[in-house]
Amino acid sequence: MKRYKLKSPGIVYSGSDSLDNIREILKYGVEKVAVFSDKSIIKAGLVDLVLAKLDDAGIKYEVIDDLPAEPSCDQAQAVVDTFKETEADLIVAVGGGSVMDIAKLASVLSTDDYNVRDLLENPGLAKKQVRTLMIPTTAGTGSEATPNSIVLVPEKELKVGIVSEEMIADYVILDAVTIKNLPRTIAASTGVDALAHAIECYTSKKANPFSDMYALESLALILGNIEKACDDPEAVEAKEAMMVASFYAGVAIAAAGTTAVHALSYPLGGKYHIPHGVSNAMMLVPVMRFNEPMCRSRFAAVYDRVKPGDNKVTEEEKSEWLVNRLGEIVENLEIPTKLSSYGVPKEDLEVLVSSGMEVKRLLDNNMREIKAEDARALYLQLMQ
Ligand SMILES: NC(=O)c1ccc[n+]([C@@H]2O[C@H](COP(=O)([O-])OP(=O)(O)OC[C@H]3O[C@@H](n4cnc5c(N)ncnc54)[C@H](O)[C@@H]3O)[C@@H](O)[C@H]2O)c1
Ligand SMILES: [Zn+2]
């Protein structure tokens, strides 16, 4: 029998008004809170919702309000240095993956013994020093559930994942109020990121019964709700479904790991600063079509999960349906799929190929082997 492992956040609160649970969390011996967020999230009024709860509880807090989107390792270090001065004993991250990823690093870096760049070299150094509460405002990266923190390494022009179980959140609150007014373009690309996590984990070489359960349920929720959640500001149930689905997909990442979509999209973020969700949306269909012969029974199982009892359809047709549905979602949500929209010149093809092939950690999880010539053909599809 194979062995597998799952480490997930300590306590997860979900459902309407679940932000009210902040009060309960503060009872676990918290004296001072550091709130991490960024300007757009503050403008959207989401940090005020959290601060009102802290004020009610009479707890001391400081707000670090200017976290950068898709941070470099040095930007993350600068936030960590500011954080150290607060001497807080709970970090509350109110934000998308960018904010949560920096909060996770800060939670293991209140020491001067090692820094972010040391963790890039040796994530084994990480030791949790400060507890974290993650309140995601996108649905999303699933960072609230994963042991990963993704930072840009400028000299490599590549995004790199620092992975340590020490960074897994202690508390998570999934309250769809945080995505109620999320702008459609952000809802769309972050939603497709969650979709990519779920289908990649479900077809990862490291897939196992734990990751399968979360990935398949996540897929069912996303395939049934993503367009409604993005298009209709009043669709509370669809947004709640996306919030839970992105968390599930994050749990699946913790148990299994993403594959070639994320591997080949990292240079697109690293070199051209294409937002993480958009770069994954670009790669999603080309990679899944490439993988299809090796993933057919798994793709068909997704069809069976969302359309149970349909016995007249062959496995091949079921699998084809899924690949087409992924393409339909990216199209319906009007996410750009051509690299020319981001000014990427065709001459950069070889740089992309060699950069993408460096992300061995994730390419190794892909069910179908990707050689440099395959990566070249996949990037070329985004250039036509
Ligand atoms: N740690 C992980 O497991 C993991 C997984 C996937 C991606 N990531 C990383 O997460 C980052 C991307 O995170 P993201 O996709 O959540 O986007 P993000 O956190 O970068 O946010 C994108 C933009 O949306 C704004 N925003 C977020 N929520 C908002 C809201 N509710 N209302 C208004 N504006 C809002 C932000 O201010 C920002 O400008 C990337 O660096 C990516 O590499 C991490
Ligand atoms: Zn992702």
Side-chain angles (χ1 to χ4, degrees), residues 206-253:
K206 290 200 195 130
N208 60 65
F210 292 153
S211 61
D212 284 353
M213 185 178 81
Y214 285 98
L216 195 55
E217 186 58 24
S218 177
L219 281 165
L221 288 168
I222 296 173
L223 292 171
N225 289 287
I226 187 166
E227 284 114 332
K228 195 159 196 244
C230 293
D231 293 341
D232 178 359
E234 300 307 319
V236 177
E237 280 177 21
K239 288 172 197 282
E240 282 177 349
M242 286 302 295
M243 205 77 204
V244 171
S246 65
F247 172 76
Y248 284 175
V251 179
I253 294 179

Side-chain angles (χ1 to χ4, degrees), residues 20 45 138 150 176 231 273 275:
D20 289 347
T138 58
I150 318 288
D231 293 341
H273 307 291

Side-chain angles (χ1 to χ4, degrees), residues 107-123:
S107 76
V108 297
L109 277 167
S110 68
T111 171
D112 291 329
D113 293 349
Y114 54 91
N115 59 28
V116 177
R117 281 187 176 266
D118 295 329
L119 289 179
L120 278 166
E121 294 304 315
N122 182 7

Side-chain angles (χ1 to χ4, degrees), residues 320-334:
E320 184 61 20
W321 174 86
L322 180 68
V323 178
N324 288 337
R325 177 75 184 111
L326 299 178
E328 183 182 79
I329 288 172
V330 175
E331 200 181 322
N332 287 345
L333 295 176
E334 299 167 301

Side-chain angles (χ1 to χ4, degrees), residues 285-306:
V285 176
V287 168
M288 288 302 153
R289 199 163 279 295
F290 173 83
N291 283 353
E292 195 274 342
M294 307 293 287
C295 298
R296 191 165 291 168
S297 62
R298 288 247 144 186
F299 285 178
V302 178
Y303 179 99
D304 289 334
R305 173 68 184 76
V306 296

Side-chain angles (χ1 to χ4, degrees), residues 38 40-41 44 46 69-71 96-99 101 104 137-138 141-143 146 148-150 159 178-179 181-183 186 190 193 197 262 276:
D38 72 31
S40 307
I41 294 156
L46 299 174
E70 310 228 358
S98 299
V99 170
D101 281 6
K104 286 155 90 170
T137 65
T138 58
T141 62
S143 173
T146 74
N148 307 359
S149 176
I150 318 288
K159 300 196 74 169
T178 62
I179 57 165
N181 299 315
L182 188 63
I186 302 176
T190 53
D193 185 30
H197 296 158
H262 271 67
H276 179 76

